[in-house]
Amino acid sequence: MSHKSNMGSLKRKEAPGGSSAPKSTKPTTDARPTKRPKASGDSKDKNATKKESKPAAAPVSALIKEEEPLFPRGGASILTPLEQKQIQIQARKDVLFEEASGKKKGGDKEGKKKKRKSKNKEEDTKPVKDEDAVKIESLNFKRLVKGSLVLGTVSAINALDLAIALPNNLTGHVPITAISETLTQKLEDSANKEDAEESDDDDENDIDLQSMFRLGQYVRAYVVSTMDESALGKPKRHIELSLIPAHANSGMAEQDVVENSTLMASVVSVEDHGFVMDVGISDSKIKGFLPRKQLDKSIPEEGVQPGCVLLCVATGKAANGKVVQLSTLDERLGSTKHHPSEATTIDSYLPGTAADILVSEVTQHGIIGKLMGSLDVTADLVHSGAGPEGVDIEDKYKVGSRLKVRIICTFPAAKNPKLGVSVLSHVLSLKPKMAIKDGQEQSPVDILRHSTTIEKCTVQRIEPEIGLYVDVGVEGVPGFVHISRVKDGKVDSLFETSGPYKIGSVHPGRVIGYNSFDGMYLLSMEKTVLEQPFLRIEDIPVGAVVPGVVEKLVVNEAGLGGLIVKISEGISGLVPEMHLADVHLQHPEKKFREGMKVKTRILSTNPARHQVRLTLKKTLVNSDALPVKSYDELAVGLQAYGTIINILEKGAIVQFYGRLRGFLPVSEMSEAYIHDPKEHFRVGQTVSVYILSFDPEEKRMIVSCKDPSSFGLEKQLALKKLQIGDLVSAKVTQKTEDDIFVELVEGPLKAILPVLQLTDKSVSKTQSALKKIHVNQTLTDLVIIDKNEGRRSITLSHKPSLVQASKEGKLLSTVDKARVGDEVPGFIRSTTATAAFVQFAGKLTALLPKSKIPKEDQDKPGFGFHKTQSVLVKIVNVDRDLNRLVVAIPSAVQEETKKPAPPVENAVNSLDESVTSIEDLTIGKITKARVKSAKETQINVDIADNIQGRIDVSQIFDKWEDIKDPKKPLKFFKTNDIIQVRVLGIHHARNHMYLPISHRSTHSVLELTAKPSDLKEDAPAQELSYDKLEVGSTYTAFVNNVAQTHVWVNLSPNVRGRISAIELSDDLSKLQDIFKSFPVGSALKVRVLAVDAEKKRLDLSARTPGAENQMTWAKIKQGMVLPGKVTKITDRQVFVKLSDTVAGPVALCDLSDDYDEANPLKYSKHDIVRVALVDVDKSNKRLRLSMRPSRVLSSTMPVTDKEITKNTKLEVGEIVRGFVRNVADKGLFVTLGGDVVALVQIRNLSDSYLKDWKEHFQVDQVVKGRIISISEGRFEMNLKQSVLDKDYVPLLTMADLKEGQIVTGKVRKVEEFGAFIDIDGSANLSGLCHRSEMADRAIKDAKTLYNEGDLVKARVLKVDVKAKRINLGLKPSYFKDDDEMDVDNDDAGAALESDDDSDADSDDEMGDAGGVIINTGSNSAAQDDSDDDEDDEDVEMTEVQEGIKGLETGGFDWNASSLDVDDKTPADAAEAPNKKKRREPQVQVDKTAQLDVNGPQSVDDYERLLMGQPNSSQLWIAYMAFKMQVSDLSSAREVAKRAVKTINMKEETDKLNVWIAYLNLEVAYGTEETVEEVFKDACTYNDDQEVHERLASIYIQSGKLKEAETLFEKIIKKYGSKSVQVWINYAHFLHAKANQPERARALLHRANQSLGSAKEISLALIPKFSALEFRSPNGDKELGRTLFTQLLEAYPKKFDLWNQFMDLEVSGSGDSVDKAQVRDLFDRGSKAKGLSPKQAEKWFRRWAQWEEKEGDKKSRERVSAKALEWAKQRKGGTDQEE
């Protein structure tokens, strides 16, 4: 017997009990050695019988008919006894026939069979075992079909899917969208970015599969699909699974859920006592509940969150049968004692369920048994224990005995229903299999990891055609070697007592996988696998040097983008382009070829993405230095090789191995000064660097190219001796704009003196000082302000203030030296909106708050400071623990320092003489206080000038009656009032409670009380606390915080409670605006509903006790009007919560008295509404609520749609409205109210015929109808207008139509011979218009004129009542007397406009359409039907407005108006709009002679002209436009194709014109695919760049800006390095069309990089970009001026630039011209260098002309004076030269 499976993670070979997928197993022959000998001869005969019967077995169908149940109810056969008998007789005949014909071979077998028959006569009467016999089949890939159910264990948890280990080494995958419906809904909500509903659990939206599932967890999965993508002999099989309960529990009905049956259940919600579960039983509303006590300890409770799924066992059902109790306890779920003994059908037995079976047969290959007496179950070689555990199952399990098993799979494709079971101990207990090592249990994958090589694998058992079971040295876990894995090459069979792999032989093996469900290691003994360096990416060590073979060259737009290198069987890596060599290769494709052997080094691996990055750089590959891969391997000073992957302005990013990266600062790139790193380094360059510093937590690393060893011992000692604050002298070695590089005189050390550290003065003074410094100059009095020994850097300052402080020893460098009150010098480091930061030596920084800056400077930008400005500050606060300083400008604190500081301890101006200090205020002391201010929730008081206190609003009133104004209880307290108070403690500002008096400090605020009861001397200390509160007790509370759903109140400073919005008041009007009705500080009389002293939770109510605030099902009654809170809103109803236990929906018919106003979406979540209880069903806990104003406000309010209940008496003939509840096949179901539903049959839907009637109705649509039948509570309605409306006009019938009558209609169908038209307003009448009646000219094919769905106007030509035929005509001549028609030409019909004459000439474009096209507005019916249909292009042609020439790009017009414009006289043009064109049909005559006058008028005309002018692009384009007049797109395309083939190749311009016209045609009427096809051809036959630019223009003219932008990006990538104009065009598009000026400006930088910075490029590029800033509506003139000014500075002698600049400045009109700027430009231009006399004369003349127009007399005189002055200077200069 051959069993196929899918085994092995490396090549996915077969499992035990199956054969290899890629290798075909040879059929068994008698010549091969037999399997292990049996104890008795009977068993041999039995096997022989099996073998003989096997060829006679008919093929088993792999499909199950839909009408046949998979598992018949009760296990009964689906065949009748008669059918079974017939089958047995037929089977017996088949066997006898085969014997007679000699099909059965082997005389010995036949003899044995005869002997067996003679021994047992009973067997003679039994049919020979055939295909109906039960076969022991292992689960394999082929037997897994859609709908299979299988038990598995979670083997891997990824971010977006789960890997499930299945029986027989199969592995399936569950995508995150197939886990549960709840989880899928969360994903959809997240994807749609909908506003998340407010929830107390903020973590509900976080989906973490790691927290929801555990490795080894057992689940039942449903097979969704199997895909076999095998290629080249390597199987690639994918099994997709689903854990959704509705799938995983498929096949179970409600009655099948019995005690001890297993269910896959998903968590719907988490409750206090357990979890509400969804079990997904089809056609049932049964739910599951998992109590917390039934949750197994191995399952973390925090992981059981909505969306996760669990395999549960049913422990019972609730009384109503709608809730099933579940459990996951190990002693219940994992025990085989608990099997569903009460099951009435076999559908209760699904994978995962324990079962008690009767053993019916035991063979060496497995066990066969019966379940419930009829259902066959099988345990295969693996799961019977015979294979992996080596159990002699024939001795252990006896036929007739009972056996506890667990079901593991179903076989839907089997001919007879059967189940797969397992007797393995770990499957029975539903626990992961554990191995024993050193006497302790460990996971098998921890003992032998993947790819581990085992030197000794001892063969324990052999399955000749399957494989070897071996001992791998791990107790309790066997290994399995498939026959295809035994050795390289093919092995036909294995033998127990002979051959190299006999029992007891020892071989080396390698672990290639572990199946957690089967509990077996999967091994390979193949030599190639044993020698293979890596089996998985996870095994590859980063930094290892490995040989490889070039597998593929990766080519991209830039050339060779990298190499794919094979480093092991099945593992390839990428060598990026930058890692091909140490140097940049100009032609790398010449160096590398496929099949070439290379030596590589592993840069990084990413197993999750199956990625390996390699390098071929010799520097890295041949380096002996240890590769650094993580921060753990780093050490300061360590040398390492890295690759530069990015160069920044301040340094470079260096990539090492793995994901390790470091930053190389500019200062550490070289000993010499580097201005621009890009000039010295390139991306991809390998550099040798030294680790300067690193921080693993921050993941930061600084590296240097400078060799620490070159920094000798002498320099190191010298650097160590130098201290911050030391004064040194130095010699200048280099000078730049920002820094001065010096060498210390005292030692061989280099240092940096920043330019801004030269002086204490302004920036300009500092720059002046810089100019006086020269190289080799020695500077003295330099102070060291920073030193970094790690980077070997020294920073100096020459600021006199810092130098003087250093001399005096006052230079601040550490916090320890700071003293409050000291005035110290520093400099500004940076400023923010609220503070400035002052820096001292040693990078010590202090905060300078805005309040500590003089008031006159506080509003200045940057507080009047500039960076590094010297400042003198005063230290006002020092925090040495946090290393923080706060400073102030001395002048800002001068006034404060003058005031004498009040004593800290002594009370100042105390109201009570007994209070001399704060220490006198002990708890319970009664004293006096002065009201300082009265806030909403407290009174601030002063006991003394320096002792403050507060009185919480809850500590003022003893009882409710004392509060005069509940909304503002404290408004009667006035400032400076003297009141008696009692000390409670110290106020805690963070949590607003009070602490013991021991927590007081100088600035403490006292917590006080002013309650009259507390002010008595003998009053006991009564402090309210949560444990003193009792349910039902009442208190006075004060609002502390208000939210939409709750109000927080204080009962005392330490006791806070919450009032639900619905419990705030009996008056619902107050709940409409909670913030207004219950402001902060207002008083409420509350009652305790619930209290939890431990968690300090307090629920209160402000409703009166008689209002019965906690509504229960026992208290509610029909007719009650109650307040409720909206909790959920859908399109169909509003859910209202009346209390914690009572809630119900308000349906559409109960939302309003007028159904037209019933809209659930006008309500918001948490709204408080008033609802009426219309109907109450306490038994089923169902409510019908109503928000109708006539119900909840006043019964006298007007009602448009009356309320209908089950008690409402409706009468036949009554007209009512309702909402469509369901659109079914037999009609509509309409909800009239509550559960009252009426049926509308299809025949009663409409007076007219509705072809697709379902499209006219949708759920929740309001419909109006008449009751036509009432029978036993069932209502039937009629929606026909003729039934509802007394004034109804009946539909047209055949008898109503008269010859000559004008009708409108819709084209239903078009054939070549004519069109069928449905007549509007008729009783389903349809007529035929023959093609001869469509136009005044001959029409060969009606399909060229009309499309299905066209609206037309027609004349009735003939009505044949008997034959029921109507003939219609569409000729335009039929409508010449109709005043509404506009006839265009001889052959065409006229377009009929609806209420709009603006498109009077739009009929021009319909030239040869024929008939009458009805245009009902801007969007015709044809457009509604199919916006993207090419056949409906004629509809779009009706949109062209008068005066627009269609698409002008490309030099032609689809409306042929260009021809009319040329030929039309001015008189004709003037007359055209004022009269309507009428043309009579004329006799056809030869008009050839008039072609030159009137132009071509027909196809023949164009063809004749083209014969004479085949190269005329103008004629071809006009011909295309002529075709488009009748929307004949296909013909227009044919003309275009003919044109491009016909025009001579030498006529490049004409050919290009036609191609552009062709592109215009496709852009306007074609699809993206047709445009792309034509575009490619156009590029092939024309100038490529020209076609690209023309297409971009077409897109812009057509309004397709997105396509234009995409094309522009392609253009600049392709031609950006060659053409300046493409950049200018793209910039103009972004400026003027796309309204994205910032992107346009960024193009200039990109253009410079691409084109280079040559003079010609700059002169061509910058003026155009500047012009865009002036002329674009989104331009910035200042930016344009800046660009031009920079260009003029670079090229001052290019005087034509001055003229261009001036043209831009004077362009525009009125106020848009800045005259001051113009004059300034004229003045600057007159002073330009190299200005010749001739240029000067033109310039001054232009200036004078401009002043004549825009200036006055003085300005003109100024120009003359300037000109004379220039002439004198010019003459003077010439004289001096002479």
Short mmCIF file of all heavy atoms in Angstrom, two decimals, residues 793-821:
data_model
loop_
_atom_site.label_atom_id
_atom_site.label_comp_id
_atom_site.label_asym_id
_atom_site.label_seq_id
_atom_site.Cartn_x
_atom_site.Cartn_y
_atom_site.Cartn_z
N SER A 793 40.05 66.15 20.86
CA SER A 793 39.72 67.49 20.36
C SER A 793 39.78 68.50 21.49
O SER A 793 39.47 68.20 22.66
CB SER A 793 38.32 67.49 19.74
OG SER A 793 37.34 67.21 20.71
N ILE A 794 40.20 69.74 21.14
CA ILE A 794 40.28 70.85 22.09
C ILE A 794 39.59 72.05 21.45
O ILE A 794 39.83 72.35 20.27
CB ILE A 794 41.74 71.21 22.42
CG1 ILE A 794 42.47 69.99 23.00
CG2 ILE A 794 41.81 72.39 23.37
CD1 ILE A 794 43.97 70.20 23.12
N THR A 795 38.72 72.70 22.20
CA THR A 795 38.03 73.89 21.72
C THR A 795 38.46 75.08 22.56
O THR A 795 38.48 75.01 23.81
CB THR A 795 36.50 73.72 21.81
OG1 THR A 795 36.13 72.53 21.11
CG2 THR A 795 35.77 74.90 21.18
N LEU A 796 38.83 76.17 21.89
CA LEU A 796 39.34 77.37 22.56
C LEU A 796 38.37 78.54 22.40
O LEU A 796 37.48 78.51 21.55
CB LEU A 796 40.70 77.75 21.97
CG LEU A 796 41.77 76.65 21.93
CD1 LEU A 796 42.99 77.16 21.20
CD2 LEU A 796 42.12 76.21 23.35
N SER A 797 38.59 79.57 23.23
CA SER A 797 37.83 80.81 23.12
C SER A 797 38.77 81.99 23.34
O SER A 797 39.72 81.89 24.14
CB SER A 797 36.69 80.84 24.13
OG SER A 797 36.03 82.10 24.09
N HIS A 798 38.46 83.07 22.62
CA HIS A 798 39.25 84.29 22.77
C HIS A 798 38.38 85.42 23.31
O HIS A 798 38.76 86.59 23.27
CB HIS A 798 39.87 84.67 21.42
CG HIS A 798 41.01 85.63 21.53
ND1 HIS A 798 40.94 86.94 21.12
CD2 HIS A 798 42.28 85.46 22.03
CE1 HIS A 798 42.09 87.55 21.35
NE2 HIS A 798 42.92 86.67 21.91
N LYS A 799 37.18 85.07 23.80
CA LYS A 799 36.29 86.09 24.35
C LYS A 799 36.93 86.69 25.60
O LYS A 799 37.29 85.96 26.53
CB LYS A 799 34.94 85.47 24.71
CG LYS A 799 34.04 85.15 23.53
CD LYS A 799 32.71 84.57 24.00
CE LYS A 799 31.77 84.32 22.83
NZ LYS A 799 31.20 85.56 22.28
N PRO A 800 37.08 88.00 25.63
CA PRO A 800 37.71 88.65 26.80
C PRO A 800 37.00 88.33 28.11
O PRO A 800 37.65 88.18 29.14
CB PRO A 800 37.61 90.14 26.45
CG PRO A 800 37.56 90.18 24.95
CD PRO A 800 36.80 88.96 24.55
N SER A 801 35.65 88.20 28.07
CA SER A 801 34.92 87.93 29.31
C SER A 801 35.29 86.57 29.87
O SER A 801 35.45 86.40 31.09
CB SER A 801 33.41 87.99 29.06
OG SER A 801 33.04 87.06 28.05
N LEU A 802 35.44 85.58 29.01
CA LEU A 802 35.80 84.24 29.47
C LEU A 802 37.27 84.18 29.88
O LEU A 802 37.64 83.49 30.84
CB LEU A 802 35.51 83.20 28.37
CG LEU A 802 34.06 83.09 27.91
CD1 LEU A 802 33.92 81.99 26.86
CD2 LEU A 802 33.13 82.79 29.09
N VAL A 803 38.12 84.88 29.13
CA VAL A 803 39.55 84.92 29.48
C VAL A 803 39.75 85.55 30.85
O VAL A 803 40.51 85.05 31.70
CB VAL A 803 40.35 85.68 28.40
CG1 VAL A 803 41.79 85.88 28.84
CG2 VAL A 803 40.28 84.93 27.06
N GLN A 804 39.05 86.67 31.10
CA GLN A 804 39.17 87.36 32.39
C GLN A 804 38.65 86.48 33.52
O GLN A 804 39.25 86.42 34.60
CB GLN A 804 38.38 88.68 32.33
CG GLN A 804 38.54 89.55 33.57
CD GLN A 804 39.97 90.02 33.79
OE1 GLN A 804 40.72 90.21 32.83
NE2 GLN A 804 40.38 90.16 35.04
N ALA A 805 37.53 85.78 33.25
CA ALA A 805 36.99 84.89 34.29
C ALA A 805 37.96 83.77 34.59
O ALA A 805 38.10 83.35 35.75
CB ALA A 805 35.64 84.32 33.82
N SER A 806 38.65 83.30 33.58
CA SER A 806 39.64 82.24 33.80
C SER A 806 40.79 82.76 34.65
O SER A 806 41.28 82.05 35.55
CB SER A 806 40.14 81.73 32.46
OG SER A 806 41.16 80.78 32.63
N LYS A 807 41.23 83.97 34.39
CA LYS A 807 42.33 84.54 35.17
C LYS A 807 41.93 84.73 36.62
O LYS A 807 42.74 84.55 37.53
CB LYS A 807 42.75 85.87 34.57
CG LYS A 807 43.43 85.75 33.20
CD LYS A 807 43.81 87.12 32.63
CE LYS A 807 44.51 86.98 31.29
NZ LYS A 807 44.84 88.32 30.71
N GLU A 808 40.64 85.06 36.83
CA GLU A 808 40.16 85.30 38.20
C GLU A 808 39.66 84.01 38.86
O GLU A 808 39.22 84.05 40.01
CB GLU A 808 39.04 86.34 38.17
CG GLU A 808 39.48 87.71 37.66
CD GLU A 808 38.32 88.68 37.56
OE1 GLU A 808 37.18 88.25 37.86
OE2 GLU A 808 38.55 89.85 37.20
N GLY A 809 39.70 82.92 38.11
CA GLY A 809 39.24 81.65 38.68
C GLY A 809 37.73 81.55 38.78
O GLY A 809 37.21 80.75 39.57
N LYS A 810 37.00 82.36 38.02
CA LYS A 810 35.53 82.37 38.09
C LYS A 810 34.88 81.69 36.88
O LYS A 810 33.67 81.73 36.73
CB LYS A 810 35.01 83.81 38.18
CG LYS A 810 35.41 84.52 39.46
CD LYS A 810 34.82 85.91 39.50
CE LYS A 810 35.16 86.65 40.80
NZ LYS A 810 34.58 88.01 40.82
N LEU A 811 35.68 81.07 36.01
CA LEU A 811 35.11 80.43 34.82
C LEU A 811 34.37 79.16 35.26
O LEU A 811 34.94 78.26 35.85
CB LEU A 811 36.22 80.07 33.82
CG LEU A 811 35.73 79.46 32.50
CD1 LEU A 811 34.88 80.47 31.74
CD2 LEU A 811 36.91 79.01 31.65
N LEU A 812 33.09 79.13 34.98
CA LEU A 812 32.23 78.04 35.43
C LEU A 812 32.33 76.88 34.44
O LEU A 812 32.14 77.05 33.23
CB LEU A 812 30.77 78.54 35.51
CG LEU A 812 29.79 77.69 36.32
CD1 LEU A 812 30.26 77.58 37.78
CD2 LEU A 812 28.40 78.30 36.26
N SER A 813 32.63 75.68 34.96
CA SER A 813 32.75 74.52 34.08
C SER A 813 31.98 73.31 34.61
O SER A 813 31.69 72.39 33.85
CB SER A 813 34.22 74.13 33.87
OG SER A 813 34.83 73.86 35.13
N THR A 814 31.64 73.29 35.89
CA THR A 814 30.87 72.19 36.47
C THR A 814 29.82 72.76 37.41
O THR A 814 29.94 73.89 37.89
CB THR A 814 31.76 71.20 37.24
OG1 THR A 814 32.38 71.89 38.33
CG2 THR A 814 32.82 70.60 36.33
N VAL A 815 28.81 71.95 37.68
CA VAL A 815 27.73 72.39 38.58
C VAL A 815 28.26 72.56 40.00
O VAL A 815 27.77 73.41 40.77
CB VAL A 815 26.57 71.36 38.54
CG1 VAL A 815 25.47 71.75 39.52
CG2 VAL A 815 26.00 71.25 37.14
N ASP A 816 29.27 71.78 40.36
CA ASP A 816 29.78 71.84 41.73
C ASP A 816 30.35 73.22 42.06
O ASP A 816 30.36 73.64 43.23
CB ASP A 816 30.87 70.77 41.91
CG ASP A 816 30.30 69.37 41.76
OD1 ASP A 816 29.10 69.20 42.03
OD2 ASP A 816 31.05 68.47 41.36
N LYS A 817 30.84 73.93 41.04
CA LYS A 817 31.42 75.25 41.28
C LYS A 817 30.36 76.35 41.34
O LYS A 817 30.68 77.49 41.68
CB LYS A 817 32.43 75.58 40.17
CG LYS A 817 33.65 74.66 40.13
CD LYS A 817 34.59 75.08 39.02
CE LYS A 817 35.82 74.17 38.98
NZ LYS A 817 36.74 74.57 37.88
N ALA A 818 29.12 76.01 40.97
CA ALA A 818 28.06 77.03 40.90
C ALA A 818 27.55 77.35 42.31
O ALA A 818 27.32 76.44 43.12
CB ALA A 818 26.93 76.55 40.03
N ARG A 819 27.38 78.65 42.57
CA ARG A 819 26.84 79.12 43.85
C ARG A 819 25.72 80.11 43.54
O ARG A 819 25.88 81.00 42.69
CB ARG A 819 27.92 79.80 44.69
CG ARG A 819 29.09 78.91 45.08
CD ARG A 819 28.66 77.87 46.12
NE ARG A 819 29.80 77.04 46.53
CZ ARG A 819 30.12 75.90 45.94
NH1 ARG A 819 29.39 75.49 44.89
NH2 ARG A 819 31.15 75.19 46.36
N VAL A 820 24.60 79.92 44.25
CA VAL A 820 23.47 80.83 44.05
C VAL A 820 23.89 82.25 44.40
O VAL A 820 24.48 82.49 45.46
CB VAL A 820 22.26 80.38 44.90
CG1 VAL A 820 21.12 81.40 44.77
CG2 VAL A 820 21.79 79.00 44.47
N GLY A 821 23.58 83.18 43.52
CA GLY A 821 23.92 84.57 43.73
C GLY A 821 25.17 85.02 42.99
O GLY A 821 25.40 86.22 42.81
#
